[in-house]
Amino acid sequence: MIFTLIIVLSVFFSSSSQLLLKKGAETLVIPSVFTLETIYRLSINIISNIYLVGGVLFQVIALLVWIYVLKKVDVSYAYPFISLGFVFVIFMGYLLYNEPIGYIKLAGSLIICIGVFILSKAN
């Protein structure tokens, strides 16, 4: 049970990373022509963007937690939980970015959750 929670924690950090990266990407101005100066300015904007830095940090945390998970449990048990990231991002995209959900996304999310539940019981 504890390892399942740790797996979900890794999925949470990885999914949250994507949401932070999206927020950070929305504020970036990508130059139409790349010169040393525009690349330098873009680099400064990227490393000074709290959302992008947070997204990268969350991805590193997710990776470290995932490595710990892989050391402790079978990959065939842990890996299906990654698909819960899709469900999390769908609902957080709705809450944070007003992205539509619709019946198809709801049905797909339910199927993913049922599949993860079934696979978690198979081990």
Side-chain angles (χ1 to χ4, degrees):
M1 177 65 176
I2 189 71
F3 290 116
T4 301
L5 293 175
I6 295 171
I7 293 167
V8 171
L9 182 68
S10 175
V11 171
F12 167 78
F13 275 108
S14 181
S15 301
S16 297
S17 166
Q18 299 308 307
L19 296 164
L20 287 168
L21 292 172
K22 176 173 175 54
K23 181 74 172 173
E26 289 174 342
T27 65
L28 284 181
V29 177
I30 306 295
S32 56
V33 176
F34 287 93
T35 64
L36 286 177
E37 181 183 342
T38 60
I39 291 171
Y40 173 76
R41 271 193 268 137
L42 180 60
S43 300
I44 296 299
N45 287 337
I46 288 171
I47 62 174
S48 63
N49 186 312
I50 187 96
Y51 297 108
L52 294 176
V53 172
V56 170
L57 179 63
F58 271 34
Q59 197 63 47
V60 169
I61 292 169
L63 174 65
L64 295 174
V65 174
W66 188 249
I67 290 169
Y68 176 76
V69 164
L70 292 177
K71 181 170 177 52
K72 298 294 186 178
V73 301
D74 292 342
V75 70
S76 63
Y77 174 78
Y79 198 72
F81 282 89
I82 290 175
S83 61
L84 292 177
F86 292 109
V87 176
F88 179 76
V89 168
I90 286 170
F91 288 104
M92 293 308 292
Y94 171 77
L95 293 173
L96 297 175
Y97 302 112
N98 296 317
E99 295 178 356
I101 292 182
Y103 294 115
I104 299 296
K105 287 183 182 178
L106 282 175
S109 295
L110 181 60
I111 291 168
I112 288 171
C113 291
I114 290 169
V116 170
F117 177 78
I118 291 169
L119 287 170
S120 72
K121 298 301 177 192
N123 284 330

